[in-house]
Amino acid sequence: MPPHRSSLRLRLPPGHVVLKFSLSGIRIEGKKICESLKENSDGNQWIVILGLTPKAIEILDDERCDDLGGISYRFRWEGSTGLIKVIPPGMIHGIVRQNLSSVIGRKLESMGLSWKEWRWIGRATHKPAAPVSKGKQADQAFIPPSRFRGRIRPSGLWPTLVIETGVLESLPRLRLNAREWLTNPGKKVRIVVLIIITKSEITFERWELAPVPVSYPLIDGLCQQNCSIPPPTPAVSVQQVYSAQQVHVSANQVLGAPLVLPFHAVYNRPPQEGEGDILIGKKDLEYITESDIGTHFSF
């Protein structure tokens, strides 16, 4: 691959769209993607944008941007290349993401912590320090009090926990996104939860950065370890982005519960008395994957 080619074009599905920046062009292609996803519930949800100017980045990066005709999306860029993830139409992706955030908040409150202490910041953009010209938006992101204390609006700060959703065909790209979040400068993001939604199942993958043996098997070049507890540090080790856990929720069963979010990683400090890892059990996962119009499997 040519060295100048942006990493944003890696591991995208075969049907991804590439076009030069044009709001009207993005609107047209975004609408086509939405219609396709609505009909099939899977397929391409990515648009690569070439020739971005600073003004174009400003427009697409605006959290309040409605220049795409009501199409919900997330945006990231590197230099003059951008990548848009179109959020599938309908409520299910937003509901699952919001329900997971709500359950995490309730678990923290049950430990005696106040909801006023942390922030969920949704689509806010995270950027490395200048002069690097890049930025990325999460579907949802958690910032603990130690990272925004004294600020009314903690935009621009790095979260400890990132949540990203997508369809099955997006999984290779989402796993690459997990690597990029976890290997950001300073390694400030500690956990990435990927949520993959299909007609028959919702899968939660928890990704971390931890010392693991090089010999662990890889998925898409990322280390795979299907357990909720990181392996012991070996005598010779490297830091790898690895899949610490997978949980599968279908209409008839929940496999791999509870989803475990280590407290220290999420809250950016060791747990104190009455605090501990956030355990998202079977009942929690059943709630997370339901909507007010029935289960997610009805689509």
Side-chain angles (χ1 to χ4, degrees), residues 50-169:
L50 305 178
L52 286 175
T53 63
K55 181 60 177 179
I57 292 172
E58 181 182 349
I59 291 171
L60 294 173
D61 188 46
D62 190 339
E63 297 174 46
R64 301 160 295 178
C65 177
D66 193 33
D67 290 330
L68 300 189
I71 297 170
S72 181
Y73 70 96
R74 295 296 185 269
F75 174 63
R76 57 176 55 204
W77 82 92
E78 294 178 3
S80 62
T81 301
L83 181 63
I84 286 177
K85 181 178 73 172
V86 176
I87 305 299
M91 297 185 294
I92 183 61
H93 285 255
I95 286 174
V96 173
R97 183 175 67 243
Q98 188 58 43
N99 284 352
L100 176 58
S101 303
S102 176
V103 167
I104 292 172
R106 291 205 306 267
K107 297 289 183 179
L108 291 173
E109 287 181 325
S110 71
M111 299 177 195
L113 299 167
S114 170
W115 62 269
K116 297 179 181 179
E117 294 184 0
W118 63 80
R119 295 288 185 275
W120 289 105
I121 56 173
R123 191 181 152 189
T125 300
H126 308 281
K127 307 173 186 177
V132 179
S133 176
K134 62 169 59 177
K136 51 195 170 190
Q137 298 174 345
D139 285 0
Q140 182 66 287
F142 178 91
I143 295 186
S146 61
R147 292 196 178 176
F148 73 88
R149 188 166 285 124
R151 294 198 187 188
I152 297 175
R153 171 72 170 144
S155 60
L157 299 181
W158 285 96
T160 54
L161 167 66
V162 165
I163 299 171
E164 290 209 18
T165 67
V167 299
L168 184 60
E169 201 164 327

Side-chain angles (χ1 to χ4, degrees), residues 13 25 40 65 71 102 111 135 143 173 200-201 229 237 276:
N40 302 314
C65 177
I71 297 170
S102 176
M111 299 177 195
I143 295 186
R173 177 66 221 185
S200 60
E201 182 176 88
I229 302 174
S237 65

Side-chain angles (χ1 to χ4, degrees), residues 257-272:
L259 177 64
V260 181
L261 304 179
F263 181 92
H264 196 161
V266 173
Y267 223 71
N268 202 39
R269 66 166 173 78
Q272 300 173 1

Side-chain angles (χ1 to χ4, degrees), residues 9-291:
R9 303 185 67 174
L10 297 176
R11 298 184 187 172
L12 294 172
H16 70 272
V17 177
V18 181
L19 72 162
K20 290 187 177 180
F21 173 74
S22 160
L23 285 177
S24 61
I26 297 172
R27 281 195 294 267
I28 291 170
E29 296 299 334
K31 184 176 180 181
K32 290 179 182 178
I33 290 172
C34 283
E35 291 173 349
S36 177
L37 290 172
K38 186 175 182 179
E39 181 178 349
N40 302 314
S41 74
D42 194 12
N44 172 60
Q45 59 180 135
W46 305 91
I47 304 174
V48 178
I49 312 296
L50 305 178
L52 286 175
T53 63
K55 181 60 177 179
I57 292 172
E58 181 182 349
I59 291 171
L60 294 173
D61 188 46
D62 190 339
E63 297 174 46
R64 301 160 295 178
C65 177
D66 193 33
D67 290 330
L68 300 189
I71 297 170
S72 181
Y73 70 96
R74 295 296 185 269
F75 174 63
R76 57 176 55 204
W77 82 92
E78 294 178 3
S80 62
T81 301
L83 181 63
I84 286 177
K85 181 178 73 172
V86 176
I87 305 299
M91 297 185 294
I92 183 61
H93 285 255
I95 286 174
V96 173
R97 183 175 67 243
Q98 188 58 43
N99 284 352
L100 176 58
S101 303
S102 176
V103 167
I104 292 172
R106 291 205 306 267
K107 297 289 183 179
L108 291 173
E109 287 181 325
S110 71
M111 299 177 195
L113 299 167
S114 170
W115 62 269
K116 297 179 181 179
E117 294 184 0
W118 63 80
R119 295 288 185 275
W120 289 105
I121 56 173
R123 191 181 152 189
T125 300
H126 308 281
K127 307 173 186 177
V132 179
S133 176
K134 62 169 59 177
K136 51 195 170 190
Q137 298 174 345
D139 285 0
Q140 182 66 287
F142 178 91
I143 295 186
S146 61
R147 292 196 178 176
F148 73 88
R149 188 166 285 124
R151 294 198 187 188
I152 297 175
R153 171 72 170 144
S155 60
L157 299 181
W158 285 96
T160 54
L161 167 66
V162 165
I163 299 171
E164 290 209 18
T165 67
V167 299
L168 184 60
E169 201 164 327
S170 293
L171 184 53
R173 177 66 221 185
L174 293 177
R175 285 174 171 164
L176 182 57
N177 285 358
R179 171 187 288 278
E180 292 172 346
W181 281 112
L182 290 164
T183 57
N184 70 82
K187 298 181 174 60
K188 296 174 183 177
V189 176
R190 309 292 174 77
I191 300 174
V192 177
V193 175
L194 303 181
I195 306 174
I196 300 89
I197 300 175
T198 73
K199 284 186 175 180
S200 60
E201 182 176 88
I202 294 182
T203 300
F204 298 81
E205 292 190 355
R206 184 183 104 229
W207 290 82
E208 297 180 356
L209 186 68
V212 295
V214 180
S215 59
Y216 277 138
L218 302 179
I219 286 184
D220 288 339
L222 308 181
C223 194
Q224 170 75 13
Q225 171 75 359
N226 287 317
C227 66
S228 60
I229 302 174
T233 304
V236 178
S237 65
V238 295
Q239 279 198 312
Q240 288 273 10
V241 175
Y242 79 112
S243 176
Q245 186 180 13
Q246 290 186 350
V247 178
H248 304 273
V249 183
S250 65
N252 301 315
Q253 62 183 352
V254 177
L255 299 176
L259 177 64
V260 181
L261 304 179
F263 181 92
H264 196 161
V266 173
Y267 223 71
N268 202 39
R269 66 166 173 78
Q272 300 173 1
E273 184 176 356
E275 301 170 348
D277 291 347
I278 301 167
L279 306 179
I280 302 173
K282 180 175 181 291
K283 293 295 183 182
D284 299 316
L285 290 161
E286 289 172 345
Y287 161 76
I288 288 167
T289 54
E290 288 177 351
S291 75

